[in-house]
Amino acid sequence: MKPAIRFEQVNYSVDGLHVLRNITGFFPKGKITTLVGPSGAGKTTLFRLCNGLKSPDSGDIFINEKHIKEYDPVTLRRKVGLALQNATMIDGTVFDNLSLPLKLQGKQLEEAEAKRLLNLVGLEEQFLSHGAKDLSGGQRQKVSIARTLVNRPEILLLDEITSALDRISQQDIEELIMNINKKFGTTIIWITHNLDQAVKVADYTWVMIAGEVVETGDISVLTAPKNERVKLFVKGEEN
Amino acid sequence: MSFLNLTLSLIFVLIPLILSKTLNLGLEKDTIIAVVRSIIQLLTVGYILHFVFTSNDYLYIILMIGLIIGAATANARKKGTSIPGITGKLIFTFLFVELLTQGILLGFGITPPTAQYMIPISGMMVGNSMVLAILFLNRFASEVHAYEEEIELILSLGGTPKQAIHRQLITAIKASTIPTIESQKTMGLVQLPGMMSGQIIAGADPIQAVQFQLLVLFLLLTTAVITSVLLGFLSYPTLFNQRMQRVKEGNPTD
């Protein structure tokens, strides 16, 4: 397996507090990796490092085997798309939000393309003119995913994107992400608290606890854990 | 005005003191401090100005303007602690405003190059610039704080720092300059400007006083816009590092 993102002894701290400790490992290219672990494990911070929103205190990160520092930040962020849990919307309509990534490049999003993106994430076309801040949590998540896809990222980082969705919408998004992975070969890294979902969608998985990578491997890491801390986490006892 | 008249004007200090005592407002101490400070400060400035005006030496004029800029910087910088290097940016902004306005006034011969004109006009311009700087810094800090997530979103989608902060910057520039523009709309209708009133009381021709006041109003408009725009465009890059990452207060190496 070729790595899409590779970490070598990455450390990151905030105000002297270690958020990530000695992270070493990789997310395989073209696969879906689920990133699981209790709250405060440093999963979202790891995403911010991959997207270039933060830099590690020490250690190295490679994107497609090229050091992250060698990328221009703008190019990196378009290549490594990030959809965060809070699904922040800018003021304006859903169309304004979908247009944002291209507007930042001085380009215009065609209405037909915007409609196609909405269909892709399971939203009806009439949502285009809706106020983005009036959407429900689930609808915002869907618009956020569609917006991230506008940049056609090679790597897609998804942070708890289905946590606000009902069961049916969750399944729709799972299928959508698996389709994107198959159709475009996009590398997906998906933070989820839902272990059933993690098992269902993943080719590969990472378990992080308290800023450390405890276990990585295929899905048997979660279905038949050998590591004691992972066993406790899967049972819901490791926090 | 004689010293007897000036002493009698203290009646206007007694009124708020009596009201504060009667209504238990607790403003007596602050009122007395304010009155004593203003008497000492203004008399001191009066004597200094008298000395500078009679000497008409450019060194003293430059020193006075330096003092004005220093005091304005010391006051305004307290509102910009979240912006790295704010002191230097404020000094640059006030100096720019001073040089531009005096450059136009003296360059076109609108006012003579004497201490009597240069120092009061500098005081008005830099004073206005200081108020604008405080208004801008206050609003900019609160806008950035309120829209951190939006700023991060734009950066994460491949936007530049300028694109990420554009909305907050423009909002703060507009919000800080609006009071100056609005107050000029009602000028002469709601209030008579202090300087013009002072000139008329001192016996100047009202038309001449109005002409001079108009000049000052136009200068204030320029300083308002220039201060906010300049300070804004000097400040926003310091909120990001070379990797286009948001640098937060107390965490500059993010």
Side-chain angles (χ1 to χ4, degrees):
Chain A
M1 284 189 289
K2 277 188 183 173
I5 306 180
R6 186 163 63 82
F7 306 89
E8 275 184 19
Q9 298 185 324
V10 168
N11 288 284
Y12 182 78
S13 56
V14 176
D15 299 330
L17 192 76
H18 290 284
V19 181
L20 296 172
R21 288 169 192 269
N22 207 24
I23 304 289
T24 298
F26 70 95
F27 297 133
K29 194 169 186 164
K31 305 281 183 193
I32 299 180
T33 302
T34 49
L35 184 49
V36 298
S39 301
K43 305 183 294 292
T44 304
T45 303
L46 192 70
F47 270 13
R48 286 196 162 95
L49 297 187
C50 296
N51 179 259
L53 286 174
K54 305 273 176 200
S55 294
D57 299 338
S58 62
D60 299 293
I61 301 172
F62 299 89
I63 309 288
N64 291 335
E65 287 301 299
K66 184 173 156 184
H67 201 285
I68 200 164
K69 283 184 184 167
E70 291 176 30
Y71 285 95
D72 159 64
V74 169
T75 311
L76 171 74
R77 289 167 190 165
R78 287 177 189 153
K79 191 185 274 286
V80 184
L82 173 64
L84 288 171
Q85 186 180 9
N86 48 13
T88 305
M89 295 287 123
I90 58 162
D91 285 344
T93 62
V94 168
F95 181 76
D96 293 331
N97 273 272
L98 292 178
S99 307
L100 181 62
L102 287 184
K103 199 176 159 192
L104 295 171
Q105 300 173 48
K107 297 175 190 166
Q108 186 64 45
L109 182 72
E110 298 294 330
E111 196 173 319
E113 175 65 4
K115 285 178 179 170
R116 192 191 68 79
L117 283 162
L118 278 192
N119 287 329
L120 191 70
V121 295
L123 283 176
E124 290 169 20
E125 291 175 2
Q126 66 256 34
F127 273 103
L128 268 189
S129 55
H130 276 221
K133 291 196 170 171
D134 299 330
L135 298 176
S136 71
Q139 289 163 341
R140 285 166 80 125
Q141 287 286 12
K142 289 178 176 178
V143 174
S144 167
I145 297 167
R147 187 176 56 194
T148 309
L149 290 174
V150 172
N151 275 337
R152 298 181 186 274
E154 286 176 36
I155 302 166
L156 191 54
L157 310 172
L158 307 170
D159 185 2
E160 292 277 355
I161 52 161
T162 58
S163 57
L165 303 184
D166 57 58
R167 185 113 193 104
I168 294 177
S169 297
Q170 270 189 32
Q171 286 172 352
D172 287 346
I173 293 293
E174 286 164 5
E175 278 172 28
L176 162 73
I177 299 301
M178 288 193 278
N179 272 337
I180 290 170
N181 170 251
K182 279 200 188 104
K183 198 170 167 186
F184 305 108
T186 311
T187 303
I188 312 280
I189 300 115
W190 190 339
I191 294 176
T192 178
H193 273 108
N194 182 339
L195 292 185
D196 292 335
Q197 184 179 61
V199 171
K200 182 179 167 189
V201 300
D203 303 305
Y204 199 75
T205 198
W206 273 40
V207 183
M208 285 182 70
I209 296 171
E212 292 176 359
V213 180
V214 180
E215 189 82 281
T216 63
D218 64 28
I219 216 61
S220 66
V221 165
L222 294 175
T223 53
K226 293 186 180 102
N227 181 297
E228 286 306 314
R229 293 178 78 185
V230 179
K231 277 185 193 171
L232 286 172
F233 168 66
V234 171
K235 277 190 204 168
E237 292 170 17
E238 172 80 63
N239 287 304
Chain B
M1 186 187 271
S2 68
F3 266 99
L4 175 67
N5 289 344
L6 189 62
T7 313
L8 282 172
S9 70
L10 286 174
I11 292 168
F12 298 115
V13 177
L14 282 175
I15 294 170
L17 281 176
I18 292 165
L19 275 173
S20 175
K21 188 80 183 163
T22 315
L23 297 172
N24 242 349
L25 298 177
L27 295 173
E28 300 96 297
K29 192 181 162 194
D30 278 338
T31 308
I32 291 168
I33 290 173
V35 169
V36 172
R37 274 190 63 164
S38 53
I39 290 170
I40 294 171
Q41 285 166 198
L42 283 178
L43 281 176
T44 311
V45 167
Y47 282 114
I48 293 173
L49 286 179
H50 179 74
F51 171 73
V52 175
F53 287 179
T54 46
S55 75
N56 212 13
D57 187 329
Y58 281 106
L59 179 69
Y60 292 128
I61 296 175
I62 291 167
L63 276 176
M64 273 302 289
I65 293 171
L67 196 71
I68 290 167
I69 290 176
T73 305
N75 203 15
R77 66 187 291 275
K78 294 175 206 156
K79 296 290 176 191
T81 48
S82 61
I83 296 167
I86 188 63
T87 306
K89 290 173 179 50
L90 283 167
I91 291 173
F92 181 82
T93 304
F94 296 149
L95 259 179
F96 186 86
V97 162
E98 171 66 17
L99 289 174
L100 182 82
T101 52
Q102 291 292 355
I104 293 171
L105 290 173
L106 301 177
F108 287 105
I110 299 168
T111 56
T114 59
Q116 199 182 341
Y117 282 89
M118 288 176 75
I119 292 173
I121 289 174
S122 296
M124 281 188 281
M125 293 311 114
V126 176
N128 185 56
S129 191
M130 178 193 75
V131 173
L132 259 294
I134 291 171
L135 284 174
F136 171 80
L137 291 171
N138 250 341
R139 185 61 186 259
F140 189 49
S142 65
E143 283 288 318
V144 169
H145 181 70
Y147 289 94
E148 280 290 1
E149 287 185 351
E150 193 174 307
I151 293 167
E152 185 182 58
L153 167 75
I154 294 172
L155 289 176
S156 78
L157 289 169
T160 60
K162 191 177 174 184
Q163 288 172 322
I165 206 109
H166 182 259
R167 175 198 153 127
Q168 290 69 37
L169 191 62
I170 297 302
T171 305
I173 289 172
K174 278 169 80 174
S176 57
T177 49
I178 280 172
T180 304
I181 296 168
E182 286 302 315
S183 75
Q184 295 205 1
K185 282 184 190 168
T186 57
M187 199 56 75
L189 297 175
V190 180
Q191 82 259 39
L192 284 179
M195 195 197 71
M196 191 178 96
S197 308
Q199 279 188 302
I200 293 171
I201 290 168
D205 171 23
I207 300 298
Q208 201 181 22
V210 165
Q211 284 173 343
F212 208 78
Q213 185 62 51
L214 279 174
L215 166 71
V216 170
L217 288 181
F218 299 154
L219 284 173
L220 291 178
L221 201 59
T222 294
T223 59
V225 177
I226 286 178
T227 301
S228 291
V229 171
L230 196 57
L231 202 52
F233 281 86
L234 286 173
S235 299
Y236 91 81
T238 56
L239 300 178
F240 302 88
N241 64 18
Q242 293 250 310
R243 295 289 301 162
M244 298 190 186
Q245 295 162 341
R246 178 78 176 87
V247 180
K248 289 185 185 166
E249 193 184 352
N251 195 12
T253 55
D254 264 6

